[in-house]
Amino acid sequence: MKSINDVARFAGVGVGTVSRVINKNPSVKPDTRKKVLSAIEQLQYVPNEVARNFKLMTSNMVALLLPTIRHPFFSELAYYIEDELDLNDYKLILCNSRGKPKKELNYFDILNRNKVAGIIAITYNDIDHKVMKEIPIVSIDRHLKEEISYVTSDNYAGGRIAFNELIKAGARNPAYMGYLTKSKLKSEVELRKRGFIDEAVRQKIPYNCHEILDDEHSDIGFSEFFCSESYKSVDGLFISNDFLAAEYIERAISYKIRVPEDVKVIGYDGIQSNNCFHPYLSTIRQPVEQMARISVQLLIRKIKDKNIEKEIHRLPVEFRKGETT
Amino acid sequence: MKSINDVARFAGVGVGTVSRVINKNPSVKPDTRKKVLSAIEQLQYVPNEVARNFKLMTSNMVALLLPTIRHPFFSELAYYIEDELDLNDYKLILCNSRGKPKKELNYFDILNRNKVAGIIAITYNDIDHKVMKEIPIVSIDRHLKEEISYVTSDNYAGGRIAFNELIKAGARNPAYMGYLTKSKLKSEVELRKRGFIDEAVRQKIPYNCHEILDDEHSDIGFSEFFCSESYKSVDGLFISNDFLAAEYIERAISYKIRVPEDVKVIGYDGIQSNNCFHPYLSTIRQPVEQMARISVQLLIRKIKDKNIEKEIHRLPVEFRKGETT
């Protein structure tokens, strides 16, 4: 294999000059650059990026920390994040934290040690104290430290849209259903409920809220719901994510509740990529591709300029009508 | 931040010794190792892995090359591959090739340049000439170069099981449906058809095969199928993957074909992780977790010993009954 010395000799320049050309240092004269690039091509020289990283004390790796790549929302997000990183000559390190704080913290240690260029984090845990100032980070959907930039969909507007779509579809007794999380982290998902409630109050329409503890089996939460008198009259449900919506519909069958005839249902996320599986949910669709690309672009700006101000990107959502309203 | 020099001074040893301890070189005496580890802990020294990689000319990164992380089969595979790598102190670089040979080749260049420890590849393209001898590689589901190890599910047995399950469910005129690929790569998917046909021949039961060209829109392939006289009598279908099976069932509705009453359907893969979405397919379930873990273990053995012989792991599949048989 050819070395950087071979390239320098072939081009008639010093090793430092070859290195500057490879690292795109603007101080090299166009003529010299051309000579070096030609030598690299003719000798089929492959620069060793591990050695380059050592020199630059940086790397072209970006870590994506998410709960699990098996969830279709996260895998779609990861797909577009990888695509946008690739367009910008970065590579993606994938970390599934499975929501376990210990694994997540361990990953942060590894990332700090490896000196990745940056981190995109989707986390449900309180990892603020582990986020090193030196590593650029962008959060999706969660607020981490006060100064950390984040990208999210407009969850509050999503809640309002869902309320209005239920009413438009004929619901007179709308309700919200979601998980109640014990985490102290300020969650964007809370805003879905907030938007729903505010819109109900604004329109003076009575509403209900049913919350399922996220650490107990959903059996209990659902039994409470189906057996409670106050929910018997509910004819429209905004459910905080698509999987929970599908689970409600599945369980409703045994209570002889028909969707959408008896109860209209709207989910959140838009995880279904085709309509061959049913119920094809009416849902608030998150702009996943846009969230992914903007997160990457924001991170790259932070990598290039560490002093960039905090930014919050709240992207518009839309209602996608399926079979359940 | 503390440097390796600080650790050496604190422990009263040379920098080389500290380096050997960090790199787990067995030549260091237990007592010395203990002293160094204690110094590392007390000084909270974080070794810089970029620098270590430079020294060792290796890395703890493994690249996973797959068509798209958005497909539930691949995202489940990636989930377990990341988990098994993490258990072994490796990290995962994710590359979506989207089946585009150019992007895939480009990724191979990058991987060669970065000197990753190894590659796990799921590819539909002919990339043999790009696979560098120096980088350990394991292929999933595809045969690459003759000498490359691969892990796959027992597709041939899957085809035979599917045939038998269709007959057991009452089908008298079974048929196979799948994609016909123009790629010259020897595909494991072909074996699903082969197993199905061999079992039909063995039992002297007449069968049909319908193949859809994978580069034309499936509309044409399906129209041909539904309009052909020879397929009117088909009452059992083994379809080569779950998405195609779901698409068949969706299209069958407009031809007033009921599944499973008129036609029993068995898919392949087992992509559905819950039974809240319908049809919940009867399918041949691939042992995804086992495929992932064995691929990683095999790759790590190859990383540690480059001269290891070619291995083929063909893992057992099983029938999972759903609503479509």
Side-chain angles (χ1 to χ4, degrees):
Chain A
M1 230 202 290
K2 299 293 175 185
S3 76
I4 194 165
N5 293 307
D6 299 321
V7 175
R9 209 172 305 125
F10 193 92
V13 300
V15 169
T17 306
V18 177
S19 169
R20 279 190 291 279
V21 169
I22 292 168
N23 292 318
K24 294 177 184 150
N25 185 321
S27 73
V28 184
K29 281 185 204 143
D31 272 9
T32 314
R33 180 184 308 278
K34 221 166 147 185
K35 245 187 334 197
V36 172
L37 290 175
S38 156
I40 287 174
E41 206 188 316
Q42 287 182 60
L43 297 178
Q44 298 194 288
Y45 167 67
V46 180
N48 181 331
E49 294 204 4
V50 174
R52 278 178 60 201
N53 289 341
F54 178 69
K55 187 111 189 210
L56 299 171
M57 273 307 169
T58 177
S59 112
N60 57 353
M61 303 278 179
V62 165
L64 172 63
L65 193 69
L66 45 72
T68 165
I69 193 72
R70 288 187 68 179
H71 191 294
F73 177 71
F74 297 130
S75 67
E76 190 182 356
L77 206 50
Y79 174 83
Y80 289 114
I81 287 174
E82 191 269 350
D83 188 60
E84 188 68 24
L85 285 172
D86 181 55
L87 292 174
N88 288 281
D89 288 327
Y90 284 88
K91 283 182 286 303
L92 176 72
I93 300 178
L94 176 70
C95 325
N96 288 305
S97 66
R98 264 150 279 170
K100 290 179 194 158
K102 215 178 145 188
K103 176 157 188 212
E104 223 167 60
L105 296 181
N106 184 29
Y107 247 123
F108 263 95
D109 275 344
I110 294 172
L111 297 176
N112 287 332
R113 254 196 345 259
N114 272 278
K115 299 214 179 291
V116 288
I119 298 174
I120 296 176
I122 307 168
T123 174
Y124 299 86
N125 301 311
D126 178 12
I127 49 164
D128 277 15
H129 61 290
K130 273 290 178 180
V131 176
M132 287 182 88
K133 269 218 154 145
E134 304 96 83
I135 296 187
I137 183 165
V138 167
S139 167
I140 296 182
D141 254 5
R142 308 282 141 178
H143 310 204
L144 297 174
K145 275 185 187 168
E146 279 310 310
E147 66 268 28
I148 288 175
S149 295
Y150 66 92
V151 175
T152 182
S153 72
D154 192 343
N155 290 290
Y156 183 79
R160 295 183 60 183
I161 294 170
F163 182 88
N164 284 311
E165 290 292 341
L166 285 176
I167 299 300
K168 216 196 282 178
R172 292 295 161 259
N173 291 295
Y176 167 88
M177 183 189 282
Y179 284 114
L180 189 67
T181 169
K182 280 179 178 165
S183 160
K184 276 172 288 177
L185 265 192
K186 210 169 142 191
S187 158
E188 276 287 325
V189 176
E190 276 292 295
L191 293 175
R192 297 177 192 169
K193 182 173 96 181
R194 203 65 257 157
F196 181 87
I197 292 175
D198 284 359
E199 193 62 18
V201 170
R202 201 181 65 78
Q203 298 188 28
K204 302 196 177 67
I205 295 175
Y207 67 91
N208 271 295
C209 274
H210 182 68
E211 284 176 305
I212 297 171
L213 269 176
D214 71 352
D215 57 356
E216 71 184 11
H217 198 277
S218 55
D219 275 347
I220 303 169
F222 274 110
S223 301
E224 269 175 29
F225 182 83
F226 284 115
C227 299
S228 138
E229 271 311 312
S230 58
Y231 293 111
K232 288 260 157 75
S233 58
V234 164
D235 58 1
L237 267 173
F238 170 44
I239 304 185
S240 67
N241 73 67
D242 286 347
F243 275 124
L244 193 62
E247 196 182 343
Y248 162 81
I249 293 167
E250 188 69 17
R251 286 168 185 265
I253 295 167
S254 58
Y255 291 90
K256 307 241 186 302
I257 296 169
R258 294 163 305 161
V259 174
E261 294 82 352
D262 305 321
V263 179
K264 327 278 174 213
V265 174
I266 295 178
Y268 203 101
D269 281 344
I271 55 167
Q272 288 168 292
S273 57
N274 68 55
N275 54 6
C276 289
F277 291 101
H278 306 274
Y280 184 58
L281 296 162
S282 294
T283 192
I284 304 295
R285 167 78 174 148
Q286 299 210 57
V288 180
E289 178 172 358
Q290 212 189 341
M291 288 167 75
R293 296 200 190 277
I294 286 179
S295 301
V296 171
Q297 289 155 10
L298 178 54
L299 185 70
I300 291 174
R301 273 190 284 127
K302 285 172 88 79
I303 290 169
K304 292 186 174 154
D305 175 8
K306 305 235 158 143
N307 299 315
I308 218 166
E309 291 285 307
K310 176 181 179 176
E311 292 179 25
I312 297 170
H313 293 261
R314 199 174 288 284
L315 307 175
V317 293
E318 57 182 31
F319 176 64
R320 186 172 76 189
K321 191 174 158 36
E323 304 163 335
T324 61
T325 48
Chain B
M1 230 206 284
K2 300 292 176 188
S3 75
I4 194 165
N5 292 307
D6 298 322
V7 175
R9 210 172 305 127
F10 193 93
V13 300
V15 170
T17 307
V18 178
S19 168
R20 279 190 290 279
V21 170
I22 292 168
N23 293 318
K24 295 174 182 152
N25 186 321
S27 73
V28 185
K29 282 186 204 143
D31 274 6
T32 314
R33 180 185 308 279
K34 222 167 148 183
K35 246 189 330 198
V36 172
L37 289 176
S38 156
I40 286 174
E41 206 186 316
Q42 289 181 60
L43 297 178
Q44 297 195 286
Y45 167 67
V46 179
N48 181 330
E49 293 205 5
V50 174
R52 278 178 58 201
N53 289 341
F54 178 68
K55 187 111 189 208
L56 298 170
M57 274 306 170
T58 177
S59 112
N60 57 354
M61 303 278 180
V62 166
L64 172 63
L65 192 68
L66 45 73
T68 165
I69 193 71
R70 289 188 67 179
H71 190 294
F73 176 71
F74 296 130
S75 66
E76 189 182 357
L77 206 51
Y79 175 83
Y80 289 114
I81 287 174
E82 191 270 350
D83 188 61
E84 189 68 23
L85 286 172
D86 181 54
L87 292 173
N88 289 281
D89 288 327
Y90 285 88
K91 282 182 285 305
L92 177 71
I93 299 178
L94 177 69
C95 326
N96 288 304
S97 66
R98 263 149 278 170
K100 289 178 194 158
K102 215 179 146 187
K103 176 159 187 208
E104 223 167 60
L105 296 180
N106 183 30
Y107 248 123
F108 264 94
D109 275 343
I110 293 172
L111 298 175
N112 286 332
R113 255 196 344 258
N114 273 279
K115 298 216 179 292
V116 288
I119 297 173
I120 296 177
I122 308 168
T123 173
Y124 298 86
N125 301 311
D126 179 12
I127 49 163
D128 277 16
H129 61 290
K130 274 288 176 180
V131 177
M132 286 182 87
K133 269 217 153 145
E134 304 97 82
I135 297 188
I137 182 164
V138 168
S139 166
I140 296 182
D141 254 6
R142 307 283 142 177
H143 311 203
L144 297 173
K145 274 185 186 168
E146 279 310 310
E147 67 266 29
I148 288 176
S149 295
Y150 66 93
V151 175
T152 182
S153 72
D154 192 342
N155 290 291
Y156 183 79
R160 294 184 59 183
I161 293 169
F163 183 89
N164 284 310
E165 290 292 341
L166 285 176
I167 299 301
K168 217 196 283 177
R172 292 295 160 260
N173 290 295
Y176 166 88
M177 184 189 283
Y179 283 114
L180 189 66
T181 171
K182 280 179 177 167
S183 160
K184 275 172 287 177
L185 268 190
K186 211 168 141 191
S187 159
E188 277 287 326
V189 176
E190 276 293 293
L191 292 174
R192 299 176 191 168
K193 180 173 98 180
R194 200 68 256 156
F196 181 89
I197 292 176
D198 284 0
E199 193 62 18
V201 169
R202 202 182 64 78
Q203 299 188 27
K204 301 196 178 69
I205 295 176
Y207 67 92
N208 270 296
C209 277
H210 181 68
E211 283 174 307
I212 296 171
L213 269 177
D214 71 351
D215 58 356
E216 72 184 8
H217 198 277
S218 55
D219 274 347
I220 303 168
F222 275 110
S223 301
E224 268 176 30
F225 182 83
F226 285 114
C227 298
S228 136
E229 270 311 310
S230 57
Y231 293 111
K232 289 259 158 76
S233 58
V234 165
D235 59 1
L237 266 175
F238 170 44
I239 304 185
S240 66
N241 72 68
D242 286 347
F243 276 123
L244 193 62
E247 195 181 343
Y248 163 80
I249 293 167
E250 187 70 16
R251 287 169 184 264
I253 295 167
S254 57
Y255 290 90
K256 307 238 184 306
I257 296 170
R258 295 163 306 161
V259 173
E261 294 83 351
D262 304 322
V263 179
K264 326 279 176 213
V265 173
I266 295 178
Y268 203 102
D269 281 344
I271 54 168
Q272 288 167 292
S273 57
N274 68 56
N275 55 6
C276 289
F277 291 101
H278 306 273
Y280 184 57
L281 297 161
S282 294
T283 191
I284 305 296
R285 167 79 174 146
Q286 298 211 57
V288 181
E289 177 172 357
Q290 211 189 342
M291 288 167 76
R293 297 200 190 278
I294 287 179
S295 300
V296 170
Q297 289 155 10
L298 179 53
L299 184 70
I300 291 174
R301 275 191 283 127
K302 285 174 88 79
I303 289 169
K304 291 185 174 154
D305 176 8
K306 305 236 158 147
N307 299 316
I308 217 167
E309 290 285 305
K310 176 182 179 176
E311 292 179 24
I312 297 170
H313 294 261
R314 200 172 288 283
L315 307 175
V317 293
E318 57 182 32
F319 176 64
R320 185 172 78 190
K321 192 173 156 38
E323 305 163 334
T324 61
T325 48

